[in-house]
């Protein structure tokens, strides 16, 4: 008895301990990671978007969430393994087997996220119809039964935005490719990684289909959220080229607007000129992606100085991204290469445009009142507006200046 008891508590070899720990961390991490991605991230994003946090703040918070997940899963796995090595070998084997059950269920759920995960992720269907062209239906990953239903409903091809570079999507891509072949549905792959890749090839393929395709396409990623929203926005932005008619497109996540921003951009505060008309400083990478690419800026007037090396680089990068993601824009050289700040042509062009549209200038100000930038200041005076606190933009009636509201306390 004593010897057996002592044997039970003898520490394992280093290789056995690390092998067991690796297995425990993998299984615990897969299950916890699924809950974090599908449930927690949805709730966190919904909360911080209601609070009006900017894209950079959202990214920082999500990085913190990921770090907390990694650390907590590591500590939990270590505690579990230490507990297991205080048990009899037979008991330890049973617990290790049980530990794999939620991980296997999570892995299986990712092979068919439409059935098991999209409901928790808040996924809903949406559609866009191109007048004289193809129709698009957006949603989450379809299993074979769902593909059969879609075919009966008139879908003639499937566009998958899933990427083989995402390990949990590899099996799903293969299964869907085989299922689509059995249903005689063309399977079009346009893999996207929105936060890692520039997605140039995928976006170009989507544009060609939208402008020259025919029939009805079912477009999906895994959960039917971020990648689907980007593609939907690209297709909607092609309206001037294709006479697109957007229908039943209100179910997907609403694009983030400037009015929900409660903190300045990196280069200054935002100025609301009228409903749907904003003057903003040139966004940094995260702000550009969140509010220009994924947001609702309307037509973008890029008022920058091509003779300034930094601003010339901004123009080049902004044009590349707006062309890629089909954001309508016009580049207006900053007035006067030698300091002339006459803005009459810019204001005149603004008065001919219909909202929504956004004017991007190099910088604005971090203070309330008139912007420092001459172009932004001239626009403000022409429209009788000033920079107000981002937490509350007071609407104005004709001929009135908005009240200045004290900025929120930190």
């Amino acid at each position: 008895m004593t010897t057996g008891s002592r044997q039970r508590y003898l520490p394992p070899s280093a290789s056995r301990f690390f092998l067991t720990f690796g297995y425990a961390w993998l299984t615990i991490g897969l299950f916890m990671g699924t809950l974090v991605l599908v449930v927690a991230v949805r709730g966190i994003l919904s909360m911080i978007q209601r609070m009006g946090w900017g894209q950079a703040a959202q990214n920082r918070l999500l990085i913190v969430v990921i770090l907390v997940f990694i650390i907590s899963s590591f500590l939990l796995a270590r505690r579990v393994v230490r507990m297991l090595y205080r048990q009899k070998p037979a008991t330890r084997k049973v617990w290790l087997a049980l530990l794999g059950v939620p991980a296997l269920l999570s892995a299986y759920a990712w092979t068919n996220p439409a059935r098991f995960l999209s409901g928790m992720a808040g996924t809903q269907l949406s559609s866009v119809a191109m007048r004289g062209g193809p129709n698009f239906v957006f949603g989450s990953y379809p299993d074979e039964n769902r593909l059969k239903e879609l075919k009966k409903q008139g879908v003639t091809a499937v566009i998958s935005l899933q990427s083989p570079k995402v390990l949990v999507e590899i099996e799903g891509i293969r299964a869907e490719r085989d299922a689509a072949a059995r249903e005689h549905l063309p399977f079009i792959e346009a893999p996207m990684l929105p936060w890692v890749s520039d997605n140039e090839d995928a976006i170009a393929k989507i544009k060609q289909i939208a402008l020259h395709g025919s029939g009805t396409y079912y477009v999906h990623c895994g959960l039917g959220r971020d990648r689907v929203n980007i593609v939907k926005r690209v297709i909607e932005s092609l309206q001037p080229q294709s006479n697109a008619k957007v229908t039943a497109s209100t179910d997907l996540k609403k694009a983030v607007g400037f009015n929900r921003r409660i903190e300045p951009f990196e280069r200054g505060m935002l100025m609301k000129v009228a409903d749907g008309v904003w003057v903003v400083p040139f966004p940094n990478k995260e702000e550009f992606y969140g509010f220009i690419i994924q947001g609702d800026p309307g037509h973008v007037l890029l008022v920058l100085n091509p003779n300034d090396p930094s601003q010339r680089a901004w123009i080049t990068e902004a044009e590349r991204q707006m062309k890629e993601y089909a954001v309508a824009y016009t580049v207006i050289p900053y007035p006067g290469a030698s300091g002339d700040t006459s803005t009459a042509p810019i204001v005149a062009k603004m008065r001919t445009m219909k909202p929504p549209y956004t004017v991007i200038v190099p910088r604005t100000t971090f203070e309330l009142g008139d912007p420092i930038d001459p172009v932004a200041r001239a626009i403000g005076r022409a429209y009788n507006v000033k920079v107000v606190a981002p937490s509350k933009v007071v609407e104005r009636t004709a001929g009135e200046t908005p009240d200045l509201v004290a900025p929120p306390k930190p």
Side-chain angles (χ1 to χ4, degrees):
M1 287 289 293
T2 305
T3 304
S5 176
R6 226 182 266 123
Q7 286 274 346
R8 241 185 294 154
Y9 292 95
L10 285 176
S13 65
S15 59
R16 180 180 291 274
F17 179 86
F18 283 114
L19 184 64
T20 306
F21 174 78
Y23 168 80
W25 195 12
L26 175 65
T27 54
I28 291 172
L30 183 56
F31 178 68
M32 288 180 60
T34 299
L35 293 179
V36 168
L37 180 61
V38 177
V39 180
V41 169
R42 176 193 176 190
I44 291 170
L45 287 177
S46 177
M47 177 190 70
I48 61 182
Q49 286 175 2
R50 283 198 304 269
M51 295 171 62
W53 287 20
Q55 194 64 43
Q58 293 181 35
N59 292 346
R60 288 193 293 269
L61 181 57
L62 289 179
I63 289 173
V64 171
V65 171
I66 292 171
L67 290 175
V68 169
F69 155 68
I70 293 173
I71 294 170
S72 60
S73 62
F74 176 88
L75 294 176
L76 181 58
R78 187 178 69 169
R79 184 170 183 176
V80 167
V81 171
R82 286 181 173 179
M83 181 193 70
L84 289 177
Y85 274 103
R86 296 191 183 101
Q87 308 298 321
K88 294 179 181 180
T91 304
R92 184 163 63 245
K93 290 178 182 179
V94 171
W95 278 109
L96 286 172
L98 292 175
L99 200 60
V101 172
L104 289 174
L105 292 175
S106 299
Y108 180 68
W110 280 109
T111 64
N112 193 345
R115 177 184 296 177
F116 302 108
L117 302 176
S118 60
M120 290 188 292
T123 303
Q124 293 178 305
L125 287 177
S126 180
S127 64
V128 173
M130 313 290 277
R131 188 180 293 110
N135 300 324
F136 296 89
V137 179
F138 303 93
S140 56
Y141 178 90
D143 59 12
E144 188 160 1
N145 289 333
R146 178 61 176 149
L147 286 176
K148 292 178 180 178
E149 293 176 4
L150 290 169
K151 185 176 180 179
K152 291 178 181 178
Q153 293 168 4
V155 168
T156 56
V158 177
I159 300 176
S160 171
L161 307 178
Q162 292 189 297
S163 172
K165 294 180 181 179
V166 180
L167 294 181
V168 295
E169 294 184 345
I170 294 175
E171 177 59 26
I173 294 171
R174 183 200 62 77
E176 185 186 6
R177 187 186 297 116
D178 294 343
R182 286 192 290 271
E183 295 301 318
H184 304 288
L185 282 172
F187 183 67
I188 302 168
E189 298 186 58
M192 291 181 64
L193 292 172
W195 297 100
V196 179
S197 168
D198 60 9
N199 307 303
E200 184 176 349
D201 293 340
I203 294 298
K205 184 179 291 186
I206 295 294
K207 289 179 182 177
Q208 287 300 310
I209 294 172
L211 294 174
H212 307 294
S214 61
T216 299
Y217 298 84
Y218 182 74
V219 186
H220 74 88
C221 50
L223 299 177
R225 292 195 310 196
D226 298 322
R227 285 172 285 184
V228 160
N229 274 288
I230 291 175
V231 168
K232 174 176 173 286
R233 189 196 183 293
V234 168
I235 293 173
E236 289 179 341
S237 298
L238 293 173
Q239 294 178 56
Q241 302 175 49
S242 62
N243 295 320
K245 180 182 179 183
V246 181
T247 62
S249 59
T250 58
D251 290 334
L252 286 178
K253 183 176 65 178
K254 183 175 177 59
V256 178
F258 294 116
N259 60 314
R260 299 175 67 182
R261 179 80 176 196
I262 63 171
E263 59 182 16
F265 276 5
E266 180 181 319
R267 299 182 178 91
M269 296 174 71
L270 286 60
M271 183 173 72
K272 183 177 182 180
V273 176
D275 288 339
V277 181
W278 291 81
V279 176
V280 303
F282 188 81
N284 63 25
K285 183 178 180 181
E286 291 80 12
E287 293 162 352
F288 197 95
Y289 191 86
F291 286 87
I292 304 300
I293 301 304
Q294 281 196 315
D296 187 22
H299 193 105
V300 174
L301 297 179
L302 203 60
V303 186
L304 299 173
N305 184 2
N307 296 311
D308 180 285
S310 297
Q311 294 185 38
R312 185 166 60 247
W314 293 351
I315 293 172
T316 300
E317 180 60 18
E319 282 193 289
R320 184 189 69 78
Q321 292 200 53
M322 288 191 289
K323 286 179 181 177
E324 179 180 341
Y325 289 96
V327 177
Y329 73 95
T330 301
V331 177
I332 302 178
Y334 201 89
S338 59
D340 176 20
T341 56
S342 172
T343 56
I346 298 174
V347 173
K349 181 171 182 60
M350 290 176 62
R351 294 195 186 281
T352 66
M353 298 179 65
K354 293 182 179 180
Y357 62 89
T358 301
V359 181
I360 297 180
V361 296
R363 291 172 177 81
T364 54
T365 179
F366 290 97
E367 303 293 334
L368 301 182
D370 289 326
I372 296 174
D373 179 82
V375 171
R377 184 167 62 246
I379 293 172
R381 291 175 178 174
Y383 282 85
N384 197 27
V385 297
K386 295 182 179 182
V387 175
V388 300
S391 62
K392 183 179 180 182
V393 177
V394 180
E395 299 295 338
R396 68 186 180 94
T397 58
E400 293 182 348
T401 302
D403 296 330
L404 298 184
V405 182
K409 295 180 179 181

